[in-house]
Amino acid sequence: MTSSSDGKHPLGSKKDQAYIKEYIESHPDNRMAWYLLGKQYERNGEQGKANYCFKEAGDIYHAFENVPRLSEEIEELAENTERQQAASHISRNGKKRIGIAILLFLLLGSIAGEVKAPSRMYPASVESEAGEAKDDAISKKKDVHLPNGALSIPSQAGILVPEQDDAAFGHALKDAKHIASKVNHVHYLLHIRTHQQWWMWKAPLRPDYRLSADSNGQNIVVTPLQGKQCKCDADRVQASSFVQQWMPRSVERLVAKSALTAVLQMNDQAPKQWSKLASKYPNNVVSGITPQIAQAYDEIAASYMSHMKKAKQIAPKKAKQQALQNIWSDESDPFREPMRILVDRKHHRLAVVSGKIMLRNYKVGLGGKRTPLGSFRITEKVVDPNGSSIGDFGSRGMTLSDTLYAIHGTNEPDSIGLDKSLGCVRMSKEDVEELFDMVPIGTEVVIGSDILPEELLVPDKDSRYRLNLSPKQDNLNKRYRWL
């Protein structure tokens, strides 16, 4: 589908103007759309309406008012970027300007329908100031398995795009260049809601755009999947099916990577199989096993081993560090850092995060100032502390840095959200059992104040992360006296 724009002004027809107005009705916070509508009114001599739209556009209007014709600007910016990249210097203003230009180009695609964007217009060094670049994820369909333990290349992948972050579309467009030469590959731009500084990982994420290569592998086709004008029911169904399978698989890979990283922090080597980590107490680094997590770990461990073999001439410590960096820089996953646990004394919250992505935010009971601030690690995990699932510490317990502080269950559910403990972190049965399955021994735990939002992020019962519990994870030889 091509736009009805004339040669001088993108989206220059009355039909396009009506479409932008309709688009704004559904996306009133999209400043770029307001700017484009204002330019339409300005061309038609309706300056009053144009000024109103420019006011709604805010800094997008100011950024573009001195920019020449779009096609010339993008070409010029691309050429400038290549020259600057060769000189190993790109100014902050240049980055921002390029990111905004690419954003406009992509937004025009979202309004006009399917748009062919020459891949040469995606300069490889473009990075805006809106966040970390290249947040893409694993696919759901057939993978091409590479030799020597290399990670598989997905035929479908996801790219996280935070809400109300226009410049993130520039990042997404930059990432899309990778599929320009892969005709059978599809990327989905997935809308993820933000809260404060966090990206909230809550199913289902909404697929906003479908990016694919044309038959020649030279151009990117951008297909919007939302809005009244979208005649894409089949594409939308396919995208939703992809998201339903991709999200849990991405979490499985995060858990597998976090476990591998935690083991390597404690030992020189890590087992090749997940089952070796799911042993009886006290070697229960992880709590259990499923076929899905075992497969994810096998792939990741094989990739790690492959990189270690290639680094035989490097010092072991440095080789291990580089191999782990390679694992976490994998562009087929949205998560780029091991899981951490954050505890907020002020709001009585415990969150599981990976970088800026928040997977869970539970309500917990604490001990006020008796709950210590600082950084800890999970050094022990035990099922049914003191031999009971209904005792003082509930059905699960996780010791913090070999102290008397722990994260555990409780037989006083009414204390959740209050300062009733002597310093430990209390959780409800469902929450502590899910956390026990998600995080391995070695996971970092940071306790602070006013570091988490109050908004809860807890899946429904059927969407909880659970493993098939391995036997003999209790410890009847010890009487726990957590605070």
Side-chain angles (χ1 to χ4, degrees):
M1 175 178 176
T2 59
S3 170
S4 55
S5 309
D6 59 40
K8 296 182 179 180
H9 301 299
L11 302 178
S13 71
K14 288 288 186 180
K15 180 180 179 181
D16 288 325
Q17 180 175 318
Y19 186 83
I20 299 175
K21 292 174 66 176
E22 184 176 350
Y23 182 89
I24 288 176
E25 290 178 3
S26 303
H27 305 80
D29 296 325
N30 193 307
R31 293 173 297 147
M32 185 65 76
W34 280 107
Y35 172 74
L36 294 175
L37 183 59
K39 296 303 289 184
Q40 288 282 15
Y41 282 131
E42 187 176 60
R43 295 184 191 111
N44 295 334
E46 300 177 84
Q47 194 60 46
K49 293 181 179 180
N51 291 339
Y52 176 82
C53 293
F54 293 150
K55 181 180 178 181
E56 295 296 315
D59 57 359
I60 293 294
Y61 168 79
H62 296 294
F64 274 97
E65 275 312 282
N66 294 321
V67 174
R69 196 168 62 190
L70 178 65
S71 58
E72 296 174 354
E73 180 69 355
I74 292 179
E75 292 287 357
E76 179 184 353
L77 290 171
E79 293 172 1
N80 288 341
T81 301
E82 292 176 0
R83 289 195 297 268
Q84 291 171 344
Q85 183 182 17
S88 300
H89 175 75
I90 301 177
S91 69
R92 290 171 60 89
N93 290 336
K95 291 179 183 179
K96 185 174 182 180
R97 209 172 169 208
I98 296 169
I100 293 175
I102 292 178
L103 165 62
L104 177 56
F105 183 77
L106 182 59
L107 184 59
L108 290 176
S110 71
I111 295 174
E114 289 191 353
V115 176
K116 291 185 177 180
S119 57
R120 63 187 175 86
M121 290 189 180
Y122 307 156
S125 62
V126 174
E127 292 191 15
S128 75
E129 300 169 16
E132 300 294 329
K134 294 189 275 192
D135 286 302
D136 40 337
I138 196 164
S139 70
K140 77 167 182 110
K141 285 199 171 182
K142 295 181 180 179
D143 290 337
V144 179
H145 294 281
L146 301 180
N148 301 321
L151 294 179
S152 56
I153 299 176
S155 58
Q156 295 192 73
I159 303 174
L160 297 182
V161 179
E163 65 177 1
Q164 298 179 355
D165 187 349
D166 293 338
F169 286 94
H171 284 308
L173 190 59
K174 171 190 171 184
D175 289 343
K177 70 184 179 65
H178 295 298
I179 63 174
S181 60
K182 300 178 177 65
V183 176
N184 294 323
H185 285 220
V186 173
H187 284 197
Y188 293 103
L189 269 60
L190 305 175
H191 170 102
I192 185 167
R193 189 174 62 84
T194 60
H195 185 60
Q196 297 177 9
Q197 77 269 32
W198 300 104
W199 295 15
M200 309 298 277
W201 183 266
K202 183 176 182 180
L205 297 179
R206 189 185 75 202
D208 281 349
Y209 299 91
R210 181 181 187 272
L211 308 180
S212 59
D214 64 8
S215 57
N216 297 321
Q218 299 297 318
N219 302 295
I220 301 300
V221 179
V222 181
T223 305
L225 299 175
Q226 307 297 331
K228 298 177 182 179
Q229 298 295 322
C230 174
K231 307 299 182 183
C232 52
D233 290 344
D235 286 333
R236 188 183 292 129
V237 169
Q238 184 180 20
S240 297
S241 177
F242 162 76
V243 171
Q244 290 175 1
Q245 299 183 53
W246 169 78
M247 288 191 70
R249 187 174 178 185
S250 295
V251 173
E252 287 160 1
R253 290 176 64 85
L254 170 63
V255 172
K257 288 183 180 183
S258 297
L260 177 70
T261 303
V263 172
L264 289 170
Q265 289 174 341
M266 297 181 286
N267 305 300
D268 292 334
Q269 296 182 342
K272 297 180 180 180
Q273 296 178 332
W274 179 265
S275 58
K276 301 296 183 181
L277 301 177
S279 301
K280 63 181 181 180
Y281 178 92
N283 299 314
N284 54 333
V285 176
V286 297
S287 66
I289 189 169
T290 62
Q292 294 81 10
I293 190 64
Q295 179 181 356
Y297 182 83
D298 288 350
E299 292 176 358
I300 291 163
S303 178
Y304 172 80
M305 300 298 180
S306 173
H307 283 88
M308 287 297 290
K309 289 179 181 178
K310 296 176 182 178
K312 288 183 177 180
Q313 306 303 320
I314 303 176
K317 184 177 181 180
K318 185 175 181 180
K320 181 169 70 172
Q321 182 181 18
Q322 291 180 353
L324 279 174
Q325 288 176 345
N326 179 77
I327 294 295
W328 286 106
S329 63
D330 177 17
E331 295 181 4
S332 65
D333 288 334
F335 302 106
R336 302 303 177 82
E337 297 181 22
M339 287 185 294
R340 294 191 303 150
I341 294 173
L342 303 181
V343 179
D344 189 332
R345 277 196 333 194
K346 178 179 179 180
H347 297 133
H348 294 86
R349 295 292 184 266
L350 182 151
V352 180
V353 303
S354 169
K356 60 191 170 187
I357 304 177
M358 180 176 289
L359 291 90
R360 300 289 189 271
N361 197 26
Y362 304 107
K363 186 177 183 179
V364 296
L366 298 169
K369 292 184 178 179
R370 292 171 295 189
T371 299
L373 302 175
S375 180
F376 306 84
R377 288 198 180 272
I378 294 176
T379 51
E380 179 187 30
K381 296 174 65 174
V382 62
V383 172
D384 297 341
N386 297 334
S388 174
S389 64
I390 57 174
D392 292 344
F393 305 130
S395 62
R396 303 286 189 274
M398 291 162 274
T399 303
L400 302 182
S401 297
D402 297 320
T403 66
L404 292 179
Y405 298 105
I407 300 170
H408 56 68
T410 181
N411 58 0
E412 299 180 45
D414 292 342
S415 68
I416 301 298
L418 304 175
D419 290 321
K420 294 291 187 180
S421 80
L422 296 178
C424 284
V425 181
R426 297 180 178 181
M427 301 184 72
S428 69
K429 183 177 187 297
E430 296 80 8
D431 292 347
V432 75
E433 290 184 357
E434 181 181 43
L435 182 68
F436 193 88
D437 285 354
M438 287 187 76
V439 298
I441 288 178
T443 299
E444 182 183 16
V445 179
V446 176
I447 302 177
S449 183
D450 200 16
I451 60 175
L452 295 172
E454 293 188 70
E455 177 183 327
L456 297 176
L457 185 59
V458 181
D460 57 41
K461 182 179 179 180
D462 294 335
S463 300
R464 291 277 192 174
Y465 183 85
R466 298 308 302 267
L467 298 175
N468 298 323
L469 200 65
S470 296
K472 298 183 179 181
Q473 294 189 67
D474 54 358
N475 181 20
L476 300 179
N477 297 320
K478 180 176 180 179
R479 180 70 181 176
Y480 289 91
R481 302 183 184 279
W482 291 319
L483 298 173

